[in-house]
């Protein structure tokens, strides 16, 4: 529409110099020229790799002779179905997601609601909560490894308060996944606080005032005014948080990077992405790793479809 | 709402509720900053003093000197700065152009282009890492800067962001310029871009932070310690100085400080843009 209008407006002055058709063609040309760098780069470095991931998942390829690709049909996927290590990685990822998503959603929503209720220092607290998300995953994980080492400050506190063994969390098979959850949630809460703040700001003050007049306390107003009003945001944070959490990699890699085998200790942090990375870059099975990558793609795709369904306007 | 300060004209329940709210927020702020402050403090402690708390007068730059002397930290810093600069400059040019075209020019195939951008928006790098590695290896780019820059210039999310930015700007000025005979590129550069500078800045900040903090890509594409980015270098300090917690914390501080400073300075710009982008991350 816009373009047509511009052509109509442009017609009188352009007369004698070039026809409408020429003007329009010139613009097509401009479109293709200006788009070319992005199209070329996206095509080569984004779209081709997506296609190639799928192609690789039907092939057997060794990391050190990667030009020799042999088609093996569905055998990588059959192998995945029978591979206890793959099942284990799905299980670890599931546990991780099931703990992380509700924890970060609830904490972020509560903090956002409290933050919205104060007048002074809102920007300060928002900035402070957001800080961990800006920091590198490697930096945060390295620090937490010192905090949760045997005798370290937080390992000691956890032991005193919750009765957990005073141990090096990331080296204990029964504590390493909890450690991963803590590091991850620590980084992401601030992000979702900000998302929720965007939603809570839109809740009419009158609703809260009316509830107050009716004698509703803080908790009741949170439960019956805030939560229902930001329900779309909650869905959104849950699904987006899910999509993010199934991709967890950096933190688990850093925990294990002193050893050749990722997912340590004893596979306690062997998430789906760790599994595919291990297969491709430690065990040199590019095809098999790609089959696991296709599973990840499908999971993320399902999550995306769900987001679009829930939030049609975005 | 008639009150002016947090406690003006308060009754007791209101005061109690204020205290409760600020206590909770302060606890949250303590949790958020605690680990980073721990790293900062510890990085100035002598290894022999850790993990005890010591007087400020005992704090020293020893760890920083040690880490610069015993690891190619300067090189890692330079690598990180160079790669980040390359991605930011490339991204700003390429994605701004693409966003402009998608927002402003009607051409055959525009809908398809936009749908493709939307479709790949959510695809995580983790899922396409193996073919990316193969491409980089085939080009002979392992352990090179271009492997860390070129593939990450065009970004579907940033294209989407710029399209939205251009759509939010009125089209009239540009139409006038076009009618007066300005070419598409001139009208883009002289009129459209200046009106979307905040979008361009947001893009630079997002691309810069993602690249500076990126780990999976550099740890996979570089094996030569001289080519490490700071994140990979810090990770390698873990095994190199296994017992020297204080030295590792100096590495944490060196890696984090530039991003933290940028964040505090530009937080008004950064926070909202990450709130949308974090969805993609």
């Amino acid at each position: 529409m816009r373009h047509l209008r511009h052509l109509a407006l442009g017609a009188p002055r352009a007369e004698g110099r070039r026809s409408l058709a020429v003007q329009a063609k010139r613009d097509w040309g401009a479109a293709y020229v200006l788009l070319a760098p992005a199209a070329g780069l996206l095509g080569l470095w984004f779209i081709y790799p997506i296609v190639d991931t799928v192609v690789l998942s039907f092939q057997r390829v060794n990391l050190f002779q990667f030009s020799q690709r042999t088609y093996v049909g569905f055998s990588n996927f059959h192998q995945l179905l029978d591979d206890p290590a793959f099942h284990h990685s799905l299980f670890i990822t599931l546990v991780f997601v099931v703990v992380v998503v509700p924890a970060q959603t609830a904490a972020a929503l509560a903090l956002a609601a409290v933050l919205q209720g104060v007048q002074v220092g809102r920007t300060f607290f928002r900035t402070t909560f957001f800080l961990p998300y800006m920091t590198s995953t490697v930096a945060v994980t390295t620090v937490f490894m010192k905090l949760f080492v045997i005798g370290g400050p937080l390992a000691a506190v956890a032991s005193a308060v919750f009765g957990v063994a005073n141990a090096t969390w990331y080296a204990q098979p029964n504590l390493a996944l909890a450690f991963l959850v803590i590091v991850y949630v620590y980084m992401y809460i601030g992000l979702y606080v900000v998302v929720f703040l965007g939603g809570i700001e839109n809740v009419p003050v009158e609703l809260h005032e009316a509830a107050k007049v009716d004698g509703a306390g803080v908790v009741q107003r949170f439960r019956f005014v805030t939560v229902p009003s930001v329900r779309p945001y909650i869905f959104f944070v849950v699904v987006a948080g899910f999509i993010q959490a199934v991709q967890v990699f950096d933190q688990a890699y850093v925990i294990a990077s002193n050893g050749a085998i990722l997912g340590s200790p004893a596979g306690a942090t062997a998430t789906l992405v760790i599994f595919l990375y291990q297969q491709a870059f430690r065990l040199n099975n590019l095809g098999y790793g790609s089959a696991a990558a296709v599973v990840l793609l499908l999971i993320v795709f399902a999550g995306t479809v769900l987001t679009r369904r829930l939030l049609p306007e975005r | 709402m008639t009150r002016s300060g947090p406690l003006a004209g308060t009754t007791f329940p209101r005061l109690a509720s204020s205290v409760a709210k600020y206590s909770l927020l302060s606890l949250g702020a303590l949790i958020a900053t605690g680990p980073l402050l721990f790293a900062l403090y510890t990085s100035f402690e002598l290894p022999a003093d850790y993990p005890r708390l010591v007087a400020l007068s005992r704090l020293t730059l020893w760890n920083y000197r040690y880490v610069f002397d015993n690891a190619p930290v300067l090189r890692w810093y330079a690598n990180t700065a160079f790669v980040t600069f390359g991605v930011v400059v490339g991204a700003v040019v390429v994605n701004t152009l693409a966003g402009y075209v998608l927002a402003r020019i009607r051409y055959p195939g525009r809908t398809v282009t936009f749908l493709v951008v939307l479709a790949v928006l959510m695809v995580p790098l983790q899922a396409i890492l193996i073919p990316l590695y193969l491409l980089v290896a085939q080009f002979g780019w392992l352990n090179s800067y271009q492997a860390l820059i070129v593939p990450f210039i065009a970004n579907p999310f940033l294209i989407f962001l710029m399209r939205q930015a251009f759509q939010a700007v009125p089209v009239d000025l540009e139409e006038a310029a076009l009618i007066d005979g300005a070419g598409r590129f001139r009208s883009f550069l002289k009129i459209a871009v200046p009106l979307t500078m905040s979008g361009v800045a947001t893009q630079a900040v997002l691309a810069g932070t993602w690249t500076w903090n990126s780990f999976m890509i550099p740890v996979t594409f570089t094996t030569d310690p001289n080519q490490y980015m700071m994140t990979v270098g810090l990770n390698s300090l873990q095994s190199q100085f296994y017992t020297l917690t204080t030295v590792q914390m100096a590495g944490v501080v060196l890696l984090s400080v530039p991003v933290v400073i940028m964040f505090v300075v530009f937080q008004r710009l950064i926070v909202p843009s990450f709130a949308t982008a974090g969805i993609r991350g």
Side-chain angles (χ1 to χ4, degrees):
Chain A
M1 269 313 278
R2 269 179 190 156
H3 187 70
L4 291 179
R5 203 175 58 213
H6 137 233
L7 281 184
L9 285 170
R13 293 217 197 161
E15 81 201 285
R17 285 179 52 210
R18 54 183 109 90
S19 70
L20 285 182
V22 172
Q23 165 85 39
K25 266 220 186 101
R26 221 174 62 103
D27 256 19
W28 291 7
Y32 293 131
V33 170
L34 301 184
L35 207 53
L41 287 168
L42 267 193
L44 180 61
W45 297 106
F46 222 101
I47 293 161
Y48 165 75
I50 296 172
V51 175
D52 200 30
T53 295
V54 178
V55 172
L56 278 162
S57 72
F58 293 104
Q59 294 177 328
R60 179 163 299 132
V61 188
N62 186 296
L63 179 63
F64 297 113
Q65 297 149 329
F66 55 74
S67 46
Q68 292 168 31
R69 295 171 164 214
T70 323
Y71 275 95
V72 292
F74 280 89
S75 83
N76 287 326
F77 292 97
H78 287 302
Q79 200 184 332
L80 280 181
L81 285 176
D82 293 334
D83 187 343
F86 179 66
H87 301 168
H88 178 73
S89 79
L90 285 182
F91 174 71
I92 293 289
T93 308
L94 181 73
V95 173
F96 180 76
V97 168
V98 164
V99 178
V100 159
V101 172
Q104 70 188 11
T105 308
L109 181 57
L111 278 176
V114 174
L115 200 49
Q116 185 63 25
V118 304
Q119 313 291 316
V120 176
R122 211 183 284 173
T123 307
F124 167 78
F125 283 114
R126 190 185 72 161
T127 308
T128 311
F129 295 160
F130 203 79
L131 195 58
Y133 182 69
M134 294 297 295
T135 321
S136 125
T137 47
V138 182
V140 170
T141 311
T142 306
V143 174
F144 271 77
M145 286 171 78
K146 303 306 167 192
L147 295 173
F148 281 95
V149 77
I150 182 164
L154 291 186
V157 169
S159 157
V161 178
F162 302 109
V164 187
N166 190 340
T168 300
W169 281 47
Y170 56 89
Q172 297 294 319
N174 59 335
L175 290 174
L177 189 58
F179 177 78
L180 194 65
V181 167
I182 291 170
V183 176
Y184 186 91
V185 170
Y186 166 78
M187 290 191 70
Y188 273 86
I189 284 183
L191 173 68
Y192 296 123
V193 166
V194 173
V195 174
F196 278 131
L197 275 179
I200 291 177
E201 273 163 13
N202 297 329
V203 180
V205 184
E206 294 78 31
L207 273 182
H208 277 282
E209 296 297 326
K212 231 186 257 179
V213 171
D214 290 344
V218 177
V219 176
Q220 279 173 312
R221 269 181 284 142
F222 177 73
R223 169 73 187 80
F224 294 108
V225 179
T226 308
V227 170
S229 312
V230 297
R231 186 154 287 156
Y233 285 83
I234 298 177
F235 279 127
F236 189 53
V237 167
V238 165
V239 179
F242 164 80
I243 293 175
Q244 280 298 314
V246 292
Q247 302 169 21
V248 62
F249 173 79
D250 292 5
Q251 295 89 339
Y253 186 101
V254 172
I255 291 175
S257 55
N258 287 324
I261 296 297
L262 299 175
S264 69
T269 59
T271 62
L272 176 55
V273 178
I274 288 288
F275 175 85
L276 83 85
Y277 196 93
Q278 172 93 11
Q279 283 299 334
F281 298 109
R282 293 289 192 273
L283 304 172
N284 314 326
N285 302 321
L286 297 184
Y288 192 45
S290 296
V294 168
V295 173
L296 175 67
L297 267 179
L298 291 175
I299 293 173
V300 170
F301 180 70
T304 311
V305 171
L306 207 56
T307 332
R308 296 264 152 77
R309 280 270 173 87
L310 294 171
L311 285 181
E313 81 270 29
R314 206 184 102 90
Chain B
M1 289 287 190
T2 51
R3 52 191 158 143
S4 53
L7 304 177
T10 46
T11 56
F12 178 71
R14 190 171 272 184
L15 179 69
S17 130
S18 263
V19 169
K21 280 175 186 167
Y22 279 106
S23 309
L24 192 69
L25 292 175
S26 304
L27 180 68
L30 183 72
I31 294 173
T33 51
L36 303 173
L37 294 175
F38 164 84
L40 186 66
Y41 175 83
T42 308
S43 74
F44 291 112
E45 268 196 325
L46 285 171
D49 286 338
Y50 180 80
R52 280 171 293 129
L53 291 175
V54 295
L56 291 179
S57 57
R58 261 189 83 79
L59 297 183
T60 144
L61 286 173
W62 190 89
N63 299 302
Y64 291 92
R65 231 171 285 135
Y66 186 88
V67 81
F68 274 104
D69 286 347
N70 291 282
V73 173
L74 220 51
R75 178 77 203 235
W76 297 341
Y77 243 136
N79 293 343
T80 309
F82 182 74
V83 169
T84 304
F85 180 77
V87 172
V88 168
V89 171
V92 163
V93 173
V94 167
N95 299 314
T96 306
L97 282 170
Y100 175 81
V101 172
L102 287 176
R104 282 284 193 269
I105 308 182
R106 293 208 144 230
Y107 63 93
R110 182 169 84 154
T111 316
V112 176
T113 321
F114 186 58
L115 286 179
V116 169
V117 170
L118 280 187
V120 299
L121 201 62
M122 301 298 280
V123 171
L125 277 181
Q126 283 87 328
I128 59 171
L129 181 65
I130 297 168
L132 272 183
Y133 178 89
L134 288 182
L135 273 178
V136 166
Q138 271 160 352
F139 287 178
W141 283 7
L142 291 173
N143 286 314
S144 78
Y145 290 122
Q146 56 267 38
L148 306 177
I149 298 174
V150 179
F152 308 101
I153 286 176
N155 180 305
F157 178 78
L158 297 181
I159 293 174
F160 178 77
L161 187 90
M162 287 317 293
R163 174 184 176 270
Q164 304 296 92
F166 282 115
Q167 278 188 335
V169 169
V171 77
D172 313 25
L173 271 175
E174 252 191 283
E175 278 179 347
L178 285 171
I179 291 164
D180 288 343
R184 257 300 166 188
F185 189 71
R186 257 192 62 196
S187 111
F188 160 78
L189 207 60
K190 298 280 177 204
I191 299 168
V193 169
L195 290 173
T196 47
M197 276 321 280
S198 76
V200 173
T202 303
Q203 198 193 155
V205 164
L206 287 173
T209 317
W210 286 336
T211 311
W212 184 278
N213 285 338
S214 69
F215 177 65
M216 183 183 73
I217 293 297
V219 86
T220 310
F221 291 178
T222 54
T223 47
D224 171 4
N226 276 323
Q227 290 301 111
Y228 282 174
M229 284 176 69
M230 199 57 201
T231 47
V232 183
L234 173 60
N235 186 50
S236 76
L237 291 184
Q238 246 197 70
S239 33
Q240 200 184 341
F241 307 120
Y242 185 65
T243 52
L244 291 173
T245 295
T246 54
V247 172
Q248 291 180 40
M249 291 303 111
V252 166
V253 172
L254 288 171
L255 170 60
S256 311
V257 157
V259 182
V260 169
I261 288 176
M262 188 201 63
F263 171 60
V264 172
V265 172
F266 294 111
Q267 65 93 12
R268 255 168 229 291
L269 180 73
I270 291 173
V271 171
S273 51
F274 267 100
T276 5
I279 306 321
R280 192 219 81 110

